[in-house]
Amino acid sequence: MPVLPVTFVKASQRLSFFTIISTLGTPRDITLQELRIESLFPTDTVTTELMRTI
């Protein structure tokens, strides 16, 4: 499962996450073949606390 680090910066605010993209289904099931779920998880305490306040 590939993991990708992502950082968002706006003004002086910096949010760090890692993202995981999951694919469901099998190649023979056209309905699930293109379904992907992307999940973002905070990588530091600053980002974690900010996400809890939103």
Side-chain angles (χ1 to χ4, degrees), residues 2-8 15-20 38-43:
V3 176
L4 178 68
V6 178
T7 303
F8 299 101
L15 301 174
S16 298
F17 299 92
F18 69 90
T19 181
I20 297 175
E38 182 173 9
S39 302
L40 290 166
F41 300 95
T43 59

Side-chain angles (χ1 to χ4, degrees), residues 4-19 40-54:
L4 178 68
V6 178
T7 303
F8 299 101
V9 178
K10 182 178 180 185
S12 63
Q13 188 68 41
R14 181 183 196 102
L15 301 174
S16 298
F17 299 92
F18 69 90
T19 181
L40 290 166
F41 300 95
T43 59
D44 57 20
T45 56
V46 173
T47 303
T48 302
E49 292 304 317
L50 184 62
M51 290 297 102
R52 287 184 179 161
T53 63
I54 295 178

Side-chain angles (χ1 to χ4, degrees), residues 11-42:
S12 63
Q13 188 68 41
R14 181 183 196 102
L15 301 174
S16 298
F17 299 92
F18 69 90
T19 181
I20 297 175
I21 300 173
S22 303
T23 304
L24 303 176
T26 61
R28 293 174 289 192
D29 189 343
I30 193 68
T31 305
L32 293 177
Q33 182 179 359
E34 296 183 17
L35 181 61
R36 289 174 176 74
I37 300 171
E38 182 173 9
S39 302
L40 290 166
F41 300 95

